[in-house]
Amino acid sequence: MSQSTIESILQEERLFSPSTEFSQTAHIKSLEDYQRLYQQAKADPEKFWAELAEQELHWFQKWDTVLDWQPPFGKWFVNGKLNISYNCLDRHLTTWRKNKAAIIWEGEPGDSRTITYAQLHREVCQFANVLKQLGVKKGDRVGVYMPMVPEAAIAMLACARIGAPHSVIFGGFSAEALRDRLIDAEAKVVITADGGWRKDAIVPLKPQIDKALANGAVPSVQNVVVVKRTAQDIHMEPGRDNWWHDLQQQASPDCPAEPMDSEDMLFILYTSGSTGKPKGVVHTTGGYNLYSHITTKWIFDLQDTDVYWCTADVGWITGHSYIVYGPLSNGATTLMYEGAPRKSNPGCFWDVVEKYGVTIFYTAPTAIRAFIKMGDHLPKARNLSSLRLLGSVGEPINPEAWMWYHKVIGGERCPIVDTWWQTETGGVMITPLPGATQTKPGSATFPFPGIIADVVNLDGDTVGENEGGYLVVRHPWPGMLRTVYGNPERFRTTYWEHIPPKDGKYLYFAGDGARKDNDGYFWIMGRVDDVLNISGHRLGTMEVESALVSHPAVAEAAVVGKPDEIKGEEIVAFIILEGNCQPSEELSKELKKHVTQEIGAIARPSEIRFSDALPKTRSGKIMRRILRSLAAGEEVSGDTSTLEDKSVLDKLRGEG
Ligand code: WT7
C-alpha cells in the first residue's frame, strides 16, 4: 500500500450507516443483533455452530461431536453424514424453488442461459454418472480446468455428489503450472473445454491440457472430458479424450447423493505461499458447507428475490464459496459471467446488471479502480437502480475507490461489505454485516460471529489500539483448512507455529498485517510475508523467482512488488545474468514470456531490471525491503547496516 493510502486510512473518520429500509428486512438487523450473536458464539462456540448446522443444513445422519480439536488439527461435526450437492440442489426441489433460476449465465459474445434448480440437479446427476462410468470413485481426485461456463459448476457439484474431491485450476494458469497441480493432486480425470471467451478473444484451454499431459507426464490422468464452448479445431486424443456432450447425452439422470462423512475431503485448491511450491489447501464437507452457507446468507443478506453476482472466477476460492456453494446452498440465483470488460464493450458489467436486475454485486478493488479509470459515463449510461448491496474482496480497498463505489455504483444507497478472508479460511472472516454495521471506507470492520480475530506481536500478545501487528485467529472455525494436501508438516509450520503456541494455545497466522482502531474496527494492511497481491491474486515471490532462474540466461533473480494504481501491485524482477549473457530489450521480453509460460500471464513481470549484484545480508539473505524501495523509485530508508556490500546500492540505482 502506498504511503498516501496509509495516511488517508489513518485519517478516515467517515461512518456510513445502513438505511432503516435495508436493516428492517435484513437477516441481521442491528449492531445489537450482531453483538448478541458474536457474544453467544464467543461464550459457547460449539453450541453456536451446532445450532446453525442443525437449522441450515440437511444431514443424512447427525454428528456426535461438534468439534474435535487436536491442535492444529480440527474435525467438525464428527461422524455426521451429509452431501453438499444435496444441500445445494435436492433439498430445493421439494420447495417452490424447484423452477427458480439457480444459475443465470451470460457469455461474453452475448449468448446466455438460465438453468433452474430442477435442470441443474438433472445435469449434475447425469455428469456424476459420467464420472462414475469413467471409473471415478469416492476419494479419487478430479481436475477442473475450465472457462466461466455453467459446466464448471456442474462438474464441481457432480464431483461432490459422488465424493470425488475436485481440484479446480484457474484457466489462466499455464500448462506447466497445470501439470504441477495435477501431479500433486494425482488427478484421475480432468474436465476442461476447448476454450473460453475473454476480452474479445478465445483463451485456448485444451492445448494447455495436451501440453501438460504430454509424454505421460501425469500418469494418474486416465481421461479428459472436453466441453465444446468456442468450437475451434482442437486435438482429441483417442482413448483419453471425450466430448462432454457425447457422454452427458447417454448418462442416466438418476444419481442419489452419496452420504459423505463430515470430514471427507471436498476439494483441494492450490494457493501460493512465501516458500516452495503452491500448497494444496484441503477443505472438507460439513464444516465448509456450513461456513460458506451461513457467511453467504448473513453477509450478502440473501433474500428470495435477489439476483446475486460475484465476478470472481471459479478457479479461485471466491468462486468456490461465493459463486457456487454458498449461493446454491441458500437456494439463491447466482449469476455467472464469462468475460471481462474489454475494448468492444468496456461497460459490459453494467449491461449485465441492467439486463438481469442484479441486486447484489461482489467484486475486487482492482476492478473498481479499473472502472474508475474507464470513466463514470459507462455506469451512468445504465440503469443500476436494482442494486441494493455491494461487496469487495481480494485486497485492501483504498478509501477513494470505496467512495467511488459507494456513490457511482451504489447510488449512495447500497451498503458495502469489505470482506477479508483467504483460500485457507474457506469463507469470509472479517466483514460488515450490511444491515447492522456502520462502515468506514477502507476497513473490513468486525469479525463474523464465531471468529475470534486479533492483532498480535510475534509472541502472540495482543498489541495496543492502533498499533500494527499480525492478524491471527484464536479459535478454530468450521470453514478452516484441514491440512495442506500431502504435507501436514507444512500446514503446521506455515499457519500454526509461525507464532509459537503457548500453553497448548495455537494461533492461526494469516500472513497479513493489521491494526485495530479505537472503535475496534480492523484495518488490513496487506501481506507481511513474501507473497504478492497482483490484482487480488496471490503469488509467491519465490515461485516467480524459480520460474526466472529456470531460464538458461538467468543466474539469480529477486522479485518484489511495486505499487500500481490499478493492480495494487505489479512485479519487478531484478536479474543477474549468467557469465556471458548481455542485458537487452529482447532478453527482457523473453524473460517475461518465459514466466508467462511457466506460471501464467498473472505472474508476468511488468519490469525486468538487470544488475550485477543484489543487496544481501552477511548471511546471504536478499534484502527485499531495499529492492522494494528501489523498484518504487523511493529513497532507500531504514537500516542498511546489515547490507554486506554497500556499493551494490549505488549500482542498483545506476550510480555505480
Ligand atoms: C489474501 C488472501 C479470499 C479472497 C480472495 C483472495 C488479501 C483478501 C481482503 C480484504 C484486505 C484482503 C489478504 C489475504 N485480502 N481480502 N477485504 N482486505 N486484504 O484469496 O488468494 O487466498 O488471498 O488476500 O492479503 O491474506 P487468496
Side-chain angles (χ1 to χ4, degrees):
M1 231 192 291
S2 72
Q3 198 55 35
S4 67
T5 310
I6 292 174
E7 274 155 22
S8 61
I9 284 179
L10 286 171
Q11 286 156 14
E12 190 56 69
E13 276 163 17
R14 285 170 290 197
L15 268 182
F16 293 83
S17 305
S19 65
T20 328
E21 204 189 339
F22 190 102
S23 297
Q24 266 168 0
T25 59
H27 288 292
I28 316 295
K29 295 179 177 25
S30 64
L31 193 60
E32 295 70 51
D33 279 3
Y34 160 72
Q35 282 166 344
R36 191 175 29 80
L37 284 168
Y38 183 85
Q39 291 307 336
Q40 277 172 4
K42 194 174 171 188
D44 193 345
E46 294 177 31
K47 179 162 175 263
F48 174 78
W49 292 118
E51 278 175 11
L52 285 173
E54 183 101 55
Q55 277 164 29
E56 301 288 331
L57 301 183
H58 174 272
W59 296 82
F60 298 122
Q61 181 188 301
K62 204 180 156 174
W63 58 91
D64 42 50
T65 310
V66 181
L67 170 64
D68 173 6
W69 181 227
Q70 319 263 351
F73 297 95
K75 291 183 181 156
W76 284 88
F77 310 113
V78 182
N79 291 326
K81 302 267 185 275
L82 77 168
N83 188 299
I84 195 168
S85 120
Y86 186 97
N87 278 318
C88 288
L89 301 167
D90 306 52
R91 65 165 163 166
H92 305 312
L93 301 187
T94 52
T95 72
W96 68 273
R97 292 194 179 89
K98 180 173 179 181
N99 295 316
K100 176 181 177 175
I103 298 179
I104 295 176
W105 174 80
E106 177 88 0
E108 203 185 76
D111 45 347
S112 62
R113 285 159 72 185
T114 297
I115 304 172
T116 66
Y117 273 96
Q119 289 167 332
L120 185 61
H121 173 261
R122 189 184 167 92
E123 292 274 347
V124 168
C125 287
Q126 280 181 299
F127 197 67
N129 279 327
V130 166
L131 291 172
K132 282 188 190 167
Q133 278 164 30
L134 294 175
V136 177
K137 297 198 175 60
K138 189 170 167 172
D140 289 341
R141 275 81 56 216
V142 174
V144 176
Y145 184 66
M146 294 277 260
M148 283 291 288
V149 292
E151 284 79 2
I154 295 169
M156 290 162 76
L157 289 160
C159 287
R161 197 162 185 88
I162 63 170
H166 52 72
S167 182
V168 185
I169 298 153
F170 172 56
F173 278 125
S174 69
E176 276 71 18
L178 173 61
R179 180 193 299 138
D180 287 348
R181 287 159 177 77
L182 292 173
I183 289 174
D184 190 80
E186 294 173 285
K188 191 167 186 178
V189 167
V190 187
I191 323 297
T192 191
D194 47 358
W197 285 99
R198 201 183 147 77
K199 298 200 177 181
D200 297 321
I202 289 175
V203 179
L205 293 171
K206 183 58 170 49
Q208 304 286 352
I209 295 275
D210 294 337
K211 209 168 149 197
L213 301 184
N215 308 316
V218 195
S220 60
V221 172
Q222 295 170 4
N223 288 98
V224 177
V225 183
V226 187
V227 172
K228 187 174 263 183
R229 164 68 186 131
T230 41
Q232 78 277 32
D233 265 342
I234 55 162
H235 168 74
M236 293 290 279
E237 182 74 21
R240 186 193 74 186
D241 300 348
N242 313 268
W243 286 108
W244 172 292
H245 54 263
D246 287 342
L247 299 178
Q248 188 76 339
Q249 227 169 35
Q250 298 155 13
S252 150
D254 179 26
C255 181
E258 182 75 20
M260 301 298 291
D261 190 274
S262 179
E263 279 300 326
D264 276 337
M265 179 161 60
L266 175 63
F267 64 84
I268 307 172
L269 186 57
Y270 287 85
T271 191
S272 298
S274 47
T275 56
K277 286 191 171 182
K279 319 176 260 241
V281 167
V282 171
H283 284 289
T284 59
T285 307
Y288 176 84
N289 193 166
L290 177 62
Y291 200 66
S292 57
H293 174 99
I294 198 64
T295 49
T296 312
K297 180 168 175 174
W298 288 353
I299 298 165
F300 298 109
D301 188 46
L302 278 183
Q303 308 289 340
D304 273 329
T305 47
D306 277 316
V307 178
Y308 163 94
W309 181 19
C310 164
T311 68
D313 189 283
V314 287
W316 309 111
I317 190 71
T318 311
H320 285 57
S321 302
Y322 299 114
I323 295 177
V324 181
Y325 290 119
L328 295 177
S329 181
N330 280 284
T333 297
T334 182
L335 195 142
M336 261 178 112
Y337 184 58
E338 183 190 33
R342 54 197 182 273
K343 269 222 175 75
S344 69
N345 186 4
C348 60
F349 273 32
W350 317 124
D351 282 343
V352 171
V353 170
E354 181 175 298
K355 178 171 175 187
Y356 295 103
V358 171
T359 57
I360 305 168
F361 180 71
Y362 188 31
T363 196
T366 183
I368 297 167
R369 292 190 299 262
F371 298 145
I372 297 175
K373 201 154 194 189
M374 286 187 266
D376 292 11
H377 63 285
L378 295 170
K380 285 194 170 145
R382 277 83 173 178
N383 181 353
L384 305 184
S385 62
S386 57
L387 290 172
R388 65 178 199 95
L389 175 59
L390 303 174
S392 170
V393 62
E395 60 180 306
I397 180 166
N398 44 314
E400 303 76 40
W402 196 103
M403 286 307 299
W404 183 88
Y405 200 28
H406 170 71
K407 285 190 182 137
V408 181
I409 304 305
E412 299 187 35
R413 82 188 163 270
C414 306
I416 297 180
V417 288
D418 173 4
T419 60
W420 175 84
W421 61 298
Q422 314 178 292
T423 306
E424 292 86 342
T425 67
V428 173
M429 303 287 278
I430 302 182
T431 177
L433 293 179
T437 312
Q438 287 192 304
T439 50
K440 297 185 187 185
S443 167
T445 75
F446 305 122
F448 193 78
I451 302 304
I452 311 299
D454 201 359
V455 182
V456 303
N457 59 25
L458 277 180
D459 291 328
D461 301 321
T462 305
V463 300
E465 265 177 16
N466 278 318
E467 244 180 76
Y470 301 98
L471 184 59
V472 296
V473 185
R474 290 191 176 275
H475 192 275
W477 66 101
M480 64 194 268
L481 81 163
R482 297 302 192 266
T483 189
V484 169
Y485 189 65
N487 202 342
E489 259 326 287
R490 196 167 170 198
F491 167 71
R492 180 195 288 280
T493 53
T494 312
Y495 301 107
W496 303 95
E497 288 178 354
H498 195 91
I499 293 176
K502 266 193 293 201
D503 315 323
K505 289 257 182 238
Y506 279 69
L507 301 186
Y508 171 81
F509 177 78
D512 281 304
R515 75 183 170 90
K516 249 163 76 161
D517 71 15
N518 311 354
D519 304 322
Y521 282 65
F522 280 78
W523 298 81
I524 316 294
M525 313 303 285
R527 302 291 304 194
V528 291
D529 50 7
D530 292 329
V531 170
L532 305 173
N533 191 324
I534 314 293
S535 303
H537 300 314
R538 204 157 129 184
L539 270 175
T541 45
M542 224 186 98
E543 239 176 300
V544 185
E545 287 162 6
S546 316
L548 283 162
V549 296
S550 74
H551 188 283
V554 177
E556 208 179 337
V559 158
V560 294
K562 167 182 166 179
D564 177 78
E565 214 187 313
I566 305 282
K567 294 194 246 171
E569 269 187 310
E570 59 179 19
I571 299 176
V572 176
F574 291 84
I575 301 287
I576 300 179
L577 291 173
E578 283 290 353
N580 36 22
C581 297
Q582 289 305 315
S584 70
E585 197 47 41
E586 250 79 276
L587 185 53
S588 170
K589 276 194 193 134
E590 190 178 316
L591 293 179
K592 291 178 185 175
K593 201 172 135 209
H594 181 71
V595 175
T596 307
Q597 270 167 9
E598 291 291 307
I599 304 174
I602 49 170
R604 186 176 186 275
S606 56
E607 209 183 307
I608 301 269
R609 295 202 189 176
F610 296 105
S611 167
D612 51 15
L614 293 172
K616 286 187 185 166
T617 61
R618 286 181 193 100
S619 60
K621 204 170 171 318
I622 293 173
M623 296 177 79
R624 280 179 214 283
R625 178 172 58 82
I626 292 181
L627 292 178
R628 273 195 290 272
S629 302
L630 287 167
E634 291 164 0
E635 264 309 299
V636 176
S637 57
D639 189 10
T640 53
S641 60
T642 50
L643 184 63
E644 198 200 22
D645 174 4
K646 301 243 190 299
S647 69
V648 167
L649 271 187
D650 299 331
K651 284 185 199 144
L652 285 168
R653 281 199 206 98
E655 294 160 9

